[in-house]
Amino acid sequence: MKFRISVSPEKREEIERFLKEHGIETDPGAEYTIVQESQYPSFLSARDLHRENVRIAIEDVVFIEAFGKEIEIHTLQDTYFAQERMYQLEELLDPRAFLRISKSVMIAGKHVKKIRPSLSMKYILTMTDGTLVDVTRSYYSEFRRFFNI
């Protein structure tokens, strides 16, 4: 019996070697697939304007913004309030999908509509909801790496 595997590139060799040692062959055209579960959540817990607990799909998050200890999660539909700190959310979210662009803002890469260079090694981003956010100088290099600019 042959299996197709769907895992991160870092783990692929290790898993293929383990399977081979146990008599299991891998083949990209095989009927069965072994999938690695994501270590990142698909939902965030937050509060809405009425202070009721809600679950927000990660894919709906446009950007996250901090105002002191208050954290706002912005989606295309609404704004929600997180109970975690910004650094906790940054650790929780997939770094291939989310990027910190300043001390107070983290964006979802897929929701960046426009990137406009600004003065002093900065960028101004237009998000899919129309909001403008700034990439600060401290995050400039990481931002350029993330978007291959």
Side-chain angles (χ1 to χ4, degrees), residues 60-84:
D60 294 341
V61 176
V62 176
F63 69 100
I64 301 170
E65 191 169 22
F67 298 98
K69 292 184 179 181
E70 189 72 33
I71 306 292
E72 292 183 0
I73 301 172
H74 298 271
T75 67
L76 291 173
Q77 297 80 26
D78 217 339
T79 298
Y80 302 92
F81 304 93
Q83 295 164 20
E84 295 87 0

Side-chain angles (χ1 to χ4, degrees), residues 11 21 23-24 39 41 50 56 59 63 69 89 91 101 106 113 117-118 133 135 137 144-146 148:
K11 294 274 189 177
E21 287 171 2
I24 299 170
Q39 65 184 21
H50 306 292
I56 305 163
E59 64 206 32
F63 69 100
K69 292 184 179 181
L89 290 170
E91 290 171 0
I101 61 166
M106 187 176 356
K113 187 174 172 182
S118 184
V133 291
V135 177
R137 221 175 324 175
R144 288 178 53 95
R145 221 176 356 267
F146 186 86
N148 293 319

